[in-house]
Amino acid sequence: MAERRMISKSLLMDNKFLSLSNDTKALYIYLLSFADDDGIVKRSMMIDSVLRVDDENYSALEKNGLIIPDHNDQIKVITDWNSLQSIRKDIYRQTTYLEVRSQLFMRTDYSYTKDPNDKNVFSSADDWIKNGRPKDITDFKPLIQQHLNDRNGIRNDDRNGVRNLSIDQYSIDQSRSDQDSTAQQRAEKGNKDQHRATTTQQISSNGGMGEILLNANSSTSTIYNNATSENAENGDRLDPERTQEIASLFDSLNQAFDVNLSVDDERLRMLFDNLLNQYKIGYIENGLIELSESAGNQNKGNVKSLVVNHLSETVKSLLTN
């Protein structure tokens, strides 16, 4: 079991967590720390004694959907484990509670559930983990369809999991309404994909990591240089929740690199806003940590260039791995 676990600020700001009593909050953090690499943990007398918690505290976590109980009352599963933790393939160690894991299913937000009838389930936890825990899935529909087929006894001889599935393989099992999309839907999807590709291209740099680290004055010019004045003229405003998320990412950035970059930095704000359209805030925070560890100590100028040029690629790499 790993000696270190990550605690996302998005978790600490989540209403499900904030509504808990302080001792129940402490219990959840302890369970996160002692869970194995699949997010399964055995109830410990030591933890219960130190925190002075009892069955009522565990029930509160279950009621808020933060943990899933097993028929063995001593075993608990961290519901959102896979969105809170990023574990590299080379250090991952599977759980010893394989029977418990065999009862779990993966939802499209990568949380665990025991309900195979949940409409967002796309795979058993066992299949997803055996196929490398991929998080770069762009379309869950064929995976959900295959899960339904398997659950109903169709194609039970083909349970190869996530990686071997494709839309074409199961298109014959989908209804005509699923097969045929309107021209308007296709156009909307194409416009979104084109916008995302254009934005990513604008943020990314052709320079490699070494070039950024060696050159403190590396040029990272984009259309965002005049974004502040343009947004002010157009009256564009971020919603309060997004503003809070961006402020939280600035805190994570400054903590990870031990700098003090201002939340008024429009270029970084635009970068974070774009990434929040694609990834959960916890994934971006993990990307900042990974980027800081790989880059080492940098001055403020280099840190900004490093983040602008490489954060998007780092987050994508973490999810792929």
Side-chain angles (χ1 to χ4, degrees):
M1 184 179 71
E3 291 296 321
R4 297 179 178 85
R5 295 301 186 197
M6 292 177 285
I7 299 177
S8 170
K9 288 185 179 180
S10 60
L11 163 66
L12 301 179
M13 295 166 58
D14 192 296
N15 288 336
K16 292 189 299 183
F17 183 82
L18 292 174
S19 64
L20 300 171
S21 63
N22 287 338
D23 52 353
T24 306
K25 289 187 181 105
L27 172 60
Y28 184 66
I29 291 174
Y30 264 72
L31 294 178
L32 275 177
S33 301
F34 282 86
D36 61 31
D37 286 358
D38 285 323
I40 302 173
V41 59
K42 185 175 182 179
R43 184 171 176 176
S44 166
M45 292 180 61
M46 181 272 291
I47 294 177
D48 291 2
S49 176
V50 169
L51 300 180
R52 297 181 181 179
V53 296
D54 53 24
D55 292 342
E56 184 176 346
N57 300 101
Y58 284 91
S59 296
L61 291 175
E62 294 172 14
K63 181 179 179 180
N64 280 32
L66 294 172
I67 64 173
I68 301 172
D70 184 63
H71 63 82
N72 177 348
D73 191 50
Q74 300 300 304
I75 307 299
K76 312 295 179 183
V77 179
I78 308 297
T79 307
D80 296 314
W81 175 259
N82 295 294
S83 60
L84 294 173
Q85 306 297 321
S86 294
I87 303 174
R88 300 200 317 267
K89 291 180 180 179
D90 58 327
I91 63 174
Y92 166 77
R93 297 293 180 270
Q94 75 170 351
T95 183
T96 58
Y97 303 107
L98 295 178
E99 182 179 355
V100 176
R101 196 181 74 182
S102 68
Q103 303 169 34
L104 300 175
F105 296 87
M106 298 299 303
R107 302 179 75 252
T108 53
D109 61 355
Y110 301 107
S111 63
Y112 288 130
T113 180
K114 278 192 170 183
D115 182 9
N117 298 315
D118 187 313
K119 65 179 182 180
N120 291 315
V121 165
F122 68 89
S123 173
S124 69
D126 280 347
D127 283 347
W128 183 73
I129 291 169
K130 289 174 183 176
N131 284 283
R133 300 175 296 157
K135 289 187 177 180
D136 55 347
I137 303 169
T138 58
D139 186 1
F140 287 96
K141 185 180 292 185
L143 306 184
I144 293 174
Q145 182 63 45
Q146 174 61 16
H147 166 73
L148 294 175
N149 291 344
D150 289 344
R151 192 188 68 191
N152 294 326
I154 303 173
R155 295 175 64 94
N156 276 334
D157 58 328
D158 185 5
R159 298 182 58 87
N160 292 327
V162 174
R163 186 164 295 174
N164 293 329
L165 297 178
S166 67
I167 296 177
D168 292 336
Q169 283 178 277
Y170 307 107
S171 60
I172 59 173
D173 297 320
Q174 299 176 354
S175 66
R176 183 176 300 275
S177 61
D178 287 333
Q179 293 174 341
D180 300 325
S181 61
T182 63
Q184 180 180 0
Q185 289 173 325
R186 290 196 298 269
E188 290 175 353
K189 183 180 185 301
N191 289 338
K192 289 179 180 178
D193 291 343
Q194 183 177 2
H195 173 71
R196 178 171 294 179
T198 302
T199 305
T200 302
Q201 183 179 4
Q202 291 165 343
I203 294 176
S204 299
S205 166
N206 291 330
M209 180 75 75
E211 180 181 347
I212 293 297
L213 299 182
L214 290 173
N215 185 1
N217 298 316
S218 298
S219 172
T220 53
S221 59
T222 69
I223 63 170
Y224 299 134
N225 290 336
N226 299 318
T228 304
S229 58
E230 291 176 1
N231 285 345
E233 292 174 3
N234 295 333
D236 293 340
R237 293 292 183 271
L238 295 176
D239 63 73
E241 182 178 355
R242 176 57 62 85
T243 300
Q244 187 176 22
E245 288 180 328
I246 291 176
S248 178
L249 287 175
F250 269 94
D251 289 341
S252 299
L253 167 64
N254 289 328
Q255 183 177 355
F257 287 93
D258 192 22
V259 293
N260 189 28
L261 294 173
S262 172
V263 71
D264 294 328
D265 189 306
E266 190 64 23
R267 191 171 187 189
L268 288 174
R269 288 177 64 87
M270 297 283 286
L271 170 63
F272 289 149
D273 185 42
N274 176 65
L275 289 176
L276 285 167
N277 289 331
Q278 305 174 60
Y279 309 108
K280 291 184 178 180
I281 186 172
Y283 299 152
I284 304 172
E285 290 172 338
N286 293 343
L288 287 169
I289 294 172
E290 179 73 14
L291 198 57
S292 68
E293 291 178 350
S294 62
N297 295 325
Q298 302 297 317
N299 60 41
K300 293 182 181 180
N302 270 345
V303 167
K304 179 177 177 180
S305 297
L306 185 66
V307 171
V308 168
N309 285 294
H310 294 285
L311 179 57
S312 180
E313 298 172 1
T314 302
V315 175
K316 182 178 180 181
S317 177
L318 283 174
L319 297 183
T320 302
N321 294 334

